[in-house]
């Protein structure tokens, strides 16, 4: 906003030559970082680049090993345990820190309740919460339970909470990772309103286009080093990506190999209905990558889960290789060569407290049983293969999977899914929250699988990804299939038209 | 998403902590044994040790079942009452069979079969209510705990059910005799423990228990039949209660409303002291065995000395349980 014009506005918060090591291991090397009132400053970098550590230091949760923090012109030691909030520095975590059973107003005043004669002044808190929501243009009732709110609204409650604490610096860790396009825009409006009032906003994101849109300046970290801090106007998504990974990313997406025109249909879905989705029909051909685009909550995951038997199907027919099938349990679809890879790798995909081996083989443990007992060496061989094939990097196999980076977790989950040797793979958000370098690896794996004759359904909220990889794209909106795009039609604008409901044309081309 | 960086530092400490975690219960056991030796020279005597182990074997066998239930994220509070009702019904069945079968091993074997069968049925009931009825394990087994306890009181008409003396004489060796001088309860306990350890570590069932206890959703998405595995843990628990009871009945030859009181808590305590996490996801059978023996030794040592009142037995056990959990927590947060 007012920062990039060259006038030397004083920074409200700055880090000077900050280094941080955990034990023997250095994580940040002499980082300089500053933010001015009313500015949006994005931090970007691959997984493990040190972004989280930096914002933890900026919010006082971690103390730097060396270097100083200056806040409001004074060198300070920020108090740990989020107490810096009292000073006006508020960190909003990626996994929002709200108690699900409290109401919005209770959440906003949690820990600083307004009291009268020693008792809670509920009316006053409700009134102030409502006023706060009004100024933010958020339509959340102060009495709404947090558990009933959408993720986007929860985030708004967090922001309201921050503002009620007179936040002067708001730090957000990947705020848009779980938001749809529309929700992201609302969040951005909110951030712009805050910066207009002089609040400084620091945010981490993996989405380059968002950074281009919102940020005034961008700081790029790589391997704990400060690569550059640049005004956004001097950047292109490509140049940011290059700074992040330190190499050219010209071939982010592998070349597309169209499947044969007469390739057989391996998966046929007709008039599928399930909770949240209605009347879905599409075909998947051998060797094809079929993209599923749409806003978050448009029902793409529900379609996948209904097909593989994770959720109950209320109507419609599914045929595998032309033969009708009815999966009521996941095990049946896995046996039939159809595997679903969840988007929720931490909640549904991996056992975070266990090592690599039990995670890899959990889906296919039957393959590693000899005379009724588990064959550890057979499991080890499988892990060796998967580590090689998917380039999974871990210190050793016994390290708890929860300690791996997001990218390595994702590759392990891919390995686990592929252990069942499926012919059809449904990948749900296979690159969510992972760095560009790993994304590129996964894109090449997906393309290679398709080239081998596997058929892939690619559910993704990253439009570029769907466009870059898919042979055809199915677009969903509010539980309905609104369009199937092919060839030159696969453009961002066209997908948006179907996803937003401006265009709808599923009748003419159910099966292309 | 850049969670990876701060994770790295934990590494140097990890090896040390893992060691402590594995060695912890064994260390406690060794200390107890040393304490016992220093307090009373009779502690190490053959009679004392077999006595402690034989008494611990009932809880031990039940606790091995509980290890599976807890590892899979469940809980069974009904095992003590279940033991009592099984003992009562076994005695009634045996007494009832005497006129038709006469006195001899036939009746005893029929009684044993009844015990194991009843345990299985009780397990099926608990497990079905929990998995198919979708009721929390704590609530279901709290309910059946009351039901079973009340049933045995009803069957005994408020008093005591006693096994026919002649049958009891036939049955007695199952508790008091043994093989090569080792009492049967200890032998059975050892066999169940070895079997349990093998199942927990080297079968898909054991792996699935840990997976379900760790994260039920992940298990479901990994095509594991979560309900069936859970149900199986409760059936296994019930059957093992049956096994424990068929070793217990010959000891006293009777059952009443006070049979097996608080066994469920002792079993759970043994499991926890052994290092299994109460919320599931990680279990080890040998730890449970060590935990149960530790509990048994505390009582024994208190009885062998004169400085501290043996009535404080429960207090010492309680302290040990809390310490064990504190140690578990310490590893997690560090």
């Amino acid at each position: 906003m007012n920062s990039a014009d060259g006038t030397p506005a004083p920074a409200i918060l700055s880090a000077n030559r900050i280094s941080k090591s955990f034990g023997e291991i250095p994580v940040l090397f002499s980082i300089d970082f500053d933010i001015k009132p009313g500015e949006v400053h994005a931090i970007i970098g691959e997984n493990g680049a040190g972004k989280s550590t930096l914002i933890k230091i900026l919010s006082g949760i971690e103390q730097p090993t060396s270097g100083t923090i200056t806040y409001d012109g004074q060198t300070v030691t920020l108090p740990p345990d989020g107490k810096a909030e009292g000073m006006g520095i508020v960190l909003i975590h990626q996994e929002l820190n709200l108690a699900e059973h409290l109401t919005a107003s209770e959440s906003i005043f949690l820990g600083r309740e307004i009291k009268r004669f020693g008792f809670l002044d509920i009316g006053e808190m409700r009134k102030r919460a409502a006023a706060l929501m009004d100024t933010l243009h958020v339509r959340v009732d102060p009495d709404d339970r947090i558990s009933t709110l959408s993720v986007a609204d929860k985030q708004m409650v967090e922001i309201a909470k921050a503002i009620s604490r007179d936040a002067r610096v708001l730090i957000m860790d990947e705020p848009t990772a779980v938001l749809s396009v529309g929700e992201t825009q609302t969040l951005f409006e909110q951030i712009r309103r805050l910066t207009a009032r002089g609040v400084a906003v620091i945010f981490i994101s993996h989405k380059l286009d968002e950074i281009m849109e919102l940020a005034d300046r961008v700081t790029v970290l790589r391997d704990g080093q400060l690569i550059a801090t640049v005004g956004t106007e001097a950047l292109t998504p490509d140049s940011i990506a290059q700074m992040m990974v330190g190499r050219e990313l010209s071939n982010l997406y592998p070349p597309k190999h169209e499947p044969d025109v007469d390739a057989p249909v391996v998966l046929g879905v007709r008039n599928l209905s399930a909770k949240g989705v209605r009347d879905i029909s599409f075909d998947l051909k051998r060797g094809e990558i079929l993209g599923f685009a749409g806003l978050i909550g448009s029902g793409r995951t529900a379609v996948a889960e209904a097909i593989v038997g994770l959720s109950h199907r209320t109507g419609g027919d599914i045929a595998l290789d032309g033969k009708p099938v009815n999966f009521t349990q996941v095990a049946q679809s896995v046996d039939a060569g159809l595997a679903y890879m969840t988007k929720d790798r931490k909640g549904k995909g991996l056992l975070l407290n266990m090592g690599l081996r039990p995670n890899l083989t959990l889906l296919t443990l039957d393959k590693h049983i000899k005379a009724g007992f588990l064959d550890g060496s057979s499991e080890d061989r499988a892990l060796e293969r998967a580590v090689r094939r998917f380039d999974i990097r871990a210190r050793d196999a016994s390290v708890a999977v929860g300690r791996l980076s997001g990218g390595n977790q994702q590759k392990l989950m891919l390995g686990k899914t592929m252990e069942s040797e499926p012919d059809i793979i449904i990948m749900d958000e296979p690159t969510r929250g992972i760095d560009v370098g790993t994304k590129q690896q996964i894109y090449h794996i997906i393309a290679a699988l398709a080239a081998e004759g596997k058929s892939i359904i690619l559910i993704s909220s990253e439009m570029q990804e769907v466009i870059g990889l898919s042979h055809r794209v199915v677009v969903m909106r509010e539980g309905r299939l609104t369009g199937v795009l092919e060839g030159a039609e696969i453009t961002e604008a066209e997908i948006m038209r179907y996803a937003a409901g401006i265009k709808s044309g599923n009748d003419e081309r159910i099966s292309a | 998403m850049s969670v990876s960086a701060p994770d790295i530092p934990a590494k140097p400490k990890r090896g040390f902590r893992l060691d402590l975690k594995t060695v912890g219960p064994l260390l406690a056991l060794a200390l107890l044994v040393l304490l016992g030796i220093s307090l009373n020279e009779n502690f190490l005597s053959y009679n004392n040790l077999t006595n402690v182990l034989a008494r611990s074997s009932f809880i031990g066998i039940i606790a091995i079942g509980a290890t599976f239930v807890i590892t899979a994220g469940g809980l069974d509070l009904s095992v003590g009452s279940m033991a009592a009702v099984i003992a009562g019904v076994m005695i009634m069945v045996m007494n009832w069979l005497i006129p038709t079968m006469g006195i001899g091993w036939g009746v005893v074997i029929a009684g044993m079969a009844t015990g194991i069968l009843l345990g299985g049925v009780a397990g099926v009931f608990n497990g079905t209510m929990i998995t198919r009825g979708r009721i929390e394990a704590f609530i279901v087994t709290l309910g059946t705990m009351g039901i079973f306890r009340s049933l045995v009181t009803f069957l005994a008409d408020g008093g005591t059910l006693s096994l026919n003396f002649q049958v009891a004489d036939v049955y007695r060796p199952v508790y008091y005799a043994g093989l090569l001088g080792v009492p049967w309860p200890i032998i059975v306990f050892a066999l169940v423990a070895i079997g349990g350890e093998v199942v927990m570590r080297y079968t898909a069932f054991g792996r699935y228990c840990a997976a379900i206890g760790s994260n039920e959703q992940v298990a479901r998405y990994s095509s594991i039949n979560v309900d069936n595995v859970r149900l199986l843990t409760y059936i296994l628990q019930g059957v093992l209660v049956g096994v424990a009871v068929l070793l217990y009945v010959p000891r006293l030859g009777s059952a009443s409303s006070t049979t097996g009181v608080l066994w469920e808590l002792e079993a759970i305590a043994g499991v926890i002291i052994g290092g299994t996490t109460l919320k599931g996801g990680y279990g080890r059978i040998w730890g449970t065995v060590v935990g149960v023996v530790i509990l048994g030794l505390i009582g024994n040592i208190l009885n062998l000395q004169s400085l501290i009142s043996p009535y404080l037995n429960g207090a010492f056990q309680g302290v040990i349980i809390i310490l064990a959990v504190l140690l578990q927590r310490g590893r997690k947060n560090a």
Side-chain angles (χ1 to χ4, degrees), chain A residues 262-277:
Chain A
D262 54 351
V265 170
V266 287
L267 175 69
V269 174
R270 288 290 169 276
N271 308 105
L272 174 85
S273 293
K275 187 166 185 276
V277 290

Side-chain angles (χ1 to χ4, degrees), chain A residues 22 25 27 47-48 51-52 174 305 310 345 347-348 350 353-354 361 363 365 373-374 379 395 403 416 433, chain B residues 1-2 4-11 198 202-203 207-208 210-211 214-215 217-218 220-223 225 281:
Chain A
F22 290 102
I25 294 131
V27 180
N47 292 322
K51 305 182 297 285
S52 284
E174 280 205 73
E305 295 196 346
L310 272 163
R345 60 175 175 258
K348 292 168 180 165
L350 297 171
N353 61 337
M354 292 198 191
T361 57
L363 180 64
L365 215 45
F373 295 104
L374 293 177
E379 286 187 87
R395 273 195 303 276
R403 290 172 168 269
K416 170 184 170 179
Chain B
M1 274 292 112
S2 18
S4 50
D7 295 341
I8 297 165
K11 196 199 174 185
V198 168
Y202 301 107
T203 67
R207 180 76 59 83
Y208 289 164
S214 172
N215 186 330
Q217 285 287 3
V218 172
R220 201 166 81 86
Y221 276 72
S222 303
S223 86
N225 192 327

Side-chain angles (χ1 to χ4, degrees), chain B residues 248-266:
Chain B
Y248 174 82
V249 167
R251 182 169 165 225
L252 297 176
S254 67
S256 71
S257 58
T258 59
T259 301
V261 168
L262 292 186
W263 280 13
E264 60 283 336
L265 295 187
E266 280 194 51

Side-chain angles (χ1 to χ4, degrees), chain A residues 252-330:
Chain A
L252 184 58
Y253 300 103
K256 286 185 193 179
H257 290 286
E258 292 292 331
D260 293 342
V261 190
D262 54 351
V265 170
V266 287
L267 175 69
V269 174
R270 288 290 169 276
N271 308 105
L272 174 85
S273 293
K275 187 166 185 276
V277 290
R278 259 182 318 149
D279 209 17
I280 305 292
S281 301
F282 66 90
D283 283 329
L284 174 67
K285 287 190 272 189
R286 173 171 301 153
E288 184 179 41
I289 301 175
L290 180 63
F292 262 62
L295 305 179
I296 287 178
S298 57
R300 295 165 298 167
T301 297
V303 169
E305 295 196 346
I307 291 173
V308 299
L310 272 163
S311 65
H312 180 62
R313 180 154 52 94
T314 50
D317 302 300
I318 297 167
L320 229 52
D321 293 325
K323 288 186 272 302
V325 287
N326 180 20
F327 303 127
T328 53
Q329 295 203 321
V330 200

Side-chain angles (χ1 to χ4, degrees), chain A residues 142-440:
Chain A
D143 288 332
D144 283 346
R145 297 253 164 234
I146 296 298
S147 54
T148 63
L149 300 179
S150 68
V151 182
D153 283 339
K154 286 179 190 173
Q155 216 164 38
M156 293 303 159
V157 172
E158 283 266 33
I159 292 174
K161 191 172 164 183
I163 292 169
S164 78
R165 280 167 202 213
D166 293 323
R168 299 171 65 197
V169 180
L170 187 62
I171 307 175
M172 305 178 88
D173 190 357
E174 280 205 73
T176 61
V178 286
L179 299 188
S180 67
V181 177
E183 289 166 338
T184 302
Q185 284 310 323
T186 319
L187 175 71
F188 285 4
E189 278 166 34
Q190 216 57 260
I191 291 177
R192 288 194 190 100
R193 252 182 230 127
L194 291 176
T195 51
R197 292 168 42 176
V199 177
V201 177
I202 302 173
F203 84 105
I204 291 181
S205 174
H206 276 114
K207 300 182 182 169
L208 304 183
D209 48 337
E210 288 177 359
I211 287 167
M212 299 300 295
E213 182 185 339
L214 188 67
D216 300 307
R217 286 191 296 162
V218 178
T219 288
V220 184
L221 299 181
R222 191 202 310 152
D223 299 329
Q225 314 258 13
L226 176 69
I227 300 303
T229 297
V230 223
T232 315
E233 69 284 345
L235 288 172
T236 62
D238 277 346
S239 61
I240 301 181
Q242 264 178 44
M243 279 195 266
M244 277 169 69
V245 295
R247 60 178 181 270
E248 291 270 348
L249 275 175
S250 52
N251 50 349
L252 184 58
Y253 300 103
K256 286 185 193 179
H257 290 286
E258 292 292 331
D260 293 342
V261 190
D262 54 351
V265 170
V266 287
L267 175 69
V269 174
R270 288 290 169 276
N271 308 105
L272 174 85
S273 293
K275 187 166 185 276
V277 290
R278 259 182 318 149
D279 209 17
I280 305 292
S281 301
F282 66 90
D283 283 329
L284 174 67
K285 287 190 272 189
R286 173 171 301 153
E288 184 179 41
I289 301 175
L290 180 63
F292 262 62
L295 305 179
I296 287 178
S298 57
R300 295 165 298 167
T301 297
V303 169
E305 295 196 346
I307 291 173
V308 299
L310 272 163
S311 65
H312 180 62
R313 180 154 52 94
T314 50
D317 302 300
I318 297 167
L320 229 52
D321 293 325
K323 288 186 272 302
V325 287
N326 180 20
F327 303 127
T328 53
Q329 295 203 321
V330 200
Q332 296 167 342
S333 61
V334 171
D335 287 345
L338 168 60
Y340 168 64
M341 191 169 87
T342 173
K343 63 183 168 190
D344 184 2
R345 60 175 175 258
K346 291 186 176 179
K348 292 168 180 165
L350 297 171
L351 299 168
L352 299 180
N353 61 337
M354 292 198 191
L356 269 61
R357 198 179 82 170
N359 269 293
L360 181 77
T361 57
L362 193 60
L363 180 64
T364 47
L365 215 45
D366 293 344
K367 287 206 303 192
H368 304 286
I369 289 176
K370 222 158 68 183
F373 295 104
L374 293 177
D375 181 357
S377 56
S378 152
E379 286 187 87
D380 284 336
R381 283 195 300 275
L383 181 59
E384 245 170 67
R385 278 197 305 271
V387 164
R388 227 179 307 121
R389 180 171 176 197
F390 299 107
D391 187 33
I392 303 165
R393 291 178 202 172
R395 273 195 303 276
D396 61 274
S398 66
V399 64
V401 161
R403 290 172 168 269
L404 298 182
S405 70
N408 280 312
Q409 289 179 354
Q410 193 66 38
K411 288 192 268 186
L412 177 63
M413 205 161 78
L414 192 56
K416 170 184 170 179
T417 311
M418 295 312 296
E419 275 293 293
S420 70
E421 296 170 25
D423 298 316
I424 304 169
I425 309 126
I426 306 179
M427 297 186 186
D428 201 347
E429 307 283 3
T431 66
R432 172 186 277 184
I434 65 180
D435 60 80
V436 180
T438 312
K439 273 185 183 176
Q440 186 185 24

Side-chain angles (χ1 to χ4, degrees), chain B residues 294-317:
Chain B
I294 285 176
L295 287 177
L297 282 182
I298 292 174
N300 182 245
I301 289 173
L302 285 174
N303 280 328
L304 288 178
Q305 53 83 52
S306 50
L307 290 171
I308 303 169
S309 163
Y311 293 134
L312 283 173
N313 185 4
F316 281 97
Q317 293 188 343

Side-chain angles (χ1 to χ4, degrees), chain A residues 119-135:
Chain A
F119 294 99
L120 295 180
D121 190 346
I122 292 166
E124 177 65 22
M125 286 192 278
R126 189 183 293 143
K127 218 164 69 195
R128 288 202 203 171
L132 213 53
M133 303 288 187
D134 269 355
T135 56

